[in-house]
Amino acid sequence: MKKFAKVIALMLTLCMVFCLCACGADKDTKSEKKITIFQQKAEIAEQLQALAKEYTKETGVEVEVWAQAGDDYYANLKTSLSSESGPTIFTLNSDAEITEVKDYLADLFALSFIGDIDSTLLAVRDEKTVGIPMTAEGFGLVYNADLVDPAALTDMDALCAMIAENGKGLTTVGLSQEDYFLAGHMFNFPFALQKDPVAFCQQVMAGEVKLADVPEFQQYAKLLSAIRANQVNPVEVTYDNNCGDFATGKTAMVHQGNWAYGVIKDFEPAFEMGITGVPINGNDKIAVGVPSVWAVNADASDEEQQLAMDFLNWLYTSETGIHYMMDEFGFIPVVKGMENENMDPLSAAVAEKISTGDILPWTFNTEWPAGIISVDLAPITQEFFTSDMSEADFLNAINDAFLKYAE
């Protein structure tokens, strides 16, 4: 009996050891479920760390957020991707970056919410959806509702007549001297309003189209002429003064984006404001683009890629994920049905335009040659505002600038 008892005790001990080992193995297996995230928006770094902990609590999957590296972010990302030690999820900041690392980008077509994002906000390469927007930004004519009824901006003639009527007293459309605000953003509209902006840009650079012959560009030049003849020269206006004059009622509209509210709010404006498009051909759509997209590493294992997809689905559809995106990150919603009740009035106006589909693409960020705004377009526009250059000469000079970059 004693011998039998010893055998039973030994068997029980072995079972306990086996169970403990099995539990340890399960624990180790669970802990191996891990994704890494690398992104460059310093303003959400702490909030993203907190979100990672929340995700681990809810799912058991560990999320490691790599410290962002400022101006060195993209260089570090490329190095880690090429060494096969890249993050599972990362962000990209421009069309050029997306193109350069496209071979490392997984197809995100299976994400449950992908169909609820406006297709113009998705990053697509080789017919694959490789990036989803973190948030969006929009620009157009930011107006003081006490001074401007956007419904009255029926076309460019109506806007130019309003500028002439106000004359030197009230600035109707305020521009500022910085390259993108003077010659980049607003010039996007005549390009974006073409039937196929991508093909149109290619035709311009191939010399197949002359801007001076295109009605949308003729209307754009007409607007600049009206500003030159009736308003303070925008070459003499800084961004801060531009926003300040709008906030204090000295300017009826400024061509800016939702980011301008950061300066405008400091003046505690008492009026309602909104944003509409430059009325070329009666347009009321605004230009909306994506400052950063989430991407998934195609070199990660199949399991890691699935974990990344699960995380992104959770981020964009769960109560916790949406709370962080809207309330903690302060993002403009890009998914239909997603709402942020804490947005400033300009961000709310952009979100409304996105929800209704009243948006145009950022051609300057995707189709224009790199550097053309500061090297060519801004100096040409400065010359126009400080001389008697004709509208035709202005458009021809812009046209020649694009031809310089043709391959």
Side-chain angles (χ1 to χ4, degrees):
M1 282 295 291
K2 289 183 178 180
K3 184 176 182 181
F4 179 75
K6 289 180 178 179
V7 171
I8 294 297
L10 179 60
M11 291 177 64
L12 289 172
T13 301
L14 290 173
C15 286
M16 290 177 65
V17 170
F18 175 79
C19 289
L20 289 171
C21 290
C23 290
D26 288 344
K27 184 176 181 181
D28 289 343
T29 300
K30 187 174 182 180
S31 67
E32 289 175 357
K33 289 186 176 181
K34 173 183 176 181
I35 57 175
T36 52
I37 298 176
F38 192 35
Q39 66 88 35
Q40 74 272 47
K41 288 181 74 68
E43 61 269 29
I44 68 167
E46 292 184 8
Q47 296 91 326
L48 187 59
Q49 292 282 1
L51 177 140
K53 293 178 181 178
E54 292 281 354
Y55 186 71
T56 301
K57 286 181 183 178
E58 291 191 21
T59 66
V61 177
E62 182 183 354
V63 179
E64 180 182 308
V65 180
W66 293 1
Q68 61 86 26
D71 292 338
D72 297 325
Y73 168 80
Y74 184 58
N76 290 339
L77 173 64
K78 288 195 297 181
T79 298
S80 64
L81 288 174
S82 63
S83 64
E84 299 184 355
S85 60
T88 325
I89 299 173
F90 52 92
T91 59
L92 294 168
N93 198 40
S94 71
D95 191 73
E97 291 179 359
I98 293 168
T99 298
E100 188 172 9
V101 301
K102 67 177 183 177
D103 292 340
Y104 295 100
L105 307 181
D107 195 346
L108 307 180
F109 75 96
L111 290 172
S112 64
F113 57 90
I114 203 79
D116 292 325
I117 299 178
D118 190 291
S119 61
T120 63
L121 302 181
L122 299 170
V124 178
R125 290 295 181 279
D126 300 330
E127 300 183 350
K128 297 190 303 181
T129 300
V130 296
I132 56 172
M134 297 178 73
T135 183
E137 292 179 340
F139 62 80
L141 293 176
V142 176
Y143 62 87
N144 178 333
D146 290 345
L147 300 174
V148 175
D149 176 5
L153 301 177
T154 54
D155 53 32
M156 189 58 72
D157 286 341
L159 177 55
C160 290
M162 188 184 299
I163 293 172
E165 181 179 352
N166 290 333
K168 297 288 185 179
L170 174 71
T171 297
T172 308
V173 178
L175 305 179
S176 64
Q177 62 190 217
E178 294 78 12
D179 293 349
Y180 273 78
F181 300 151
L182 183 71
H185 289 171
M186 190 162 66
F187 196 44
N188 178 78
F189 279 92
F191 277 97
L193 284 166
Q194 301 303 313
K195 185 176 181 180
D196 185 341
V198 175
F200 180 81
C201 286
Q202 293 171 347
Q203 290 174 323
V204 171
M205 295 181 65
E208 298 170 1
V209 173
K210 289 188 175 182
L211 298 183
D213 297 331
V214 180
E216 289 80 6
F217 289 87
Q218 294 169 353
Q219 292 181 49
Y220 173 78
K222 181 178 180 180
L223 173 59
L224 296 192
S225 287
I227 292 173
R228 181 175 65 179
N230 297 282
Q231 298 189 172
V232 175
N233 192 331
V235 173
E236 301 172 359
V237 180
T238 66
Y239 169 70
D240 286 348
N241 288 338
N242 188 34
C243 294
D245 286 346
F246 173 75
T248 55
K250 298 176 183 177
T251 298
M253 292 178 282
V254 288
H255 193 274
Q256 283 293 342
N258 56 285
W259 55 78
Y261 193 74
V263 176
I264 293 171
K265 68 179 177 60
D266 291 340
F267 293 85
E268 300 180 353
F271 55 85
E272 292 185 6
M273 64 189 73
I275 185 168
T276 189
V278 177
I280 297 171
N281 292 344
N283 168 67
D284 64 356
K285 296 181 178 181
I286 66 171
V288 172
V290 176
S292 296
V293 299
W294 293 111
V296 172
N297 190 350
D299 275 359
S301 68
D302 290 343
E303 181 184 16
E304 288 172 330
Q305 289 187 47
Q306 186 57 56
L307 290 173
M309 299 291 188
D310 293 342
F311 173 82
L312 291 174
N313 273 323
W314 176 88
L315 179 62
Y316 280 78
T317 64
S318 73
E319 182 178 344
T320 305
I322 292 173
H323 161 69
Y324 268 87
M325 289 186 68
M326 299 296 97
D327 303 326
E328 302 297 330
F329 298 170
F331 284 172
I332 290 177
V334 292
V335 178
K336 292 178 182 177
M338 188 183 291
E339 297 180 353
N340 183 344
E341 298 179 354
N342 300 314
M343 288 186 291
D344 64 73
L346 294 186
S347 294
V350 172
E352 175 64 20
K353 289 287 190 179
I354 293 173
S355 70
T356 58
D358 292 324
I359 61 176
L360 297 171
W362 282 4
T363 60
F364 71 90
N365 203 37
T366 57
E367 309 306 328
W368 295 7
I372 192 172
I373 293 175
S374 294
V375 174
D376 300 281
L377 305 191
I380 293 170
T381 307
Q382 290 166 3
E383 182 181 356
F384 178 83
F385 278 119
T386 55
S387 70
D388 58 357
M389 179 187 292
S390 70
E391 294 173 17
D393 287 344
F394 168 72
L395 292 176
N396 287 332
I398 295 291
N399 203 111
D400 291 343
F402 276 88
L403 290 175
K404 281 174 35 181
Y405 295 86
E407 295 181 353

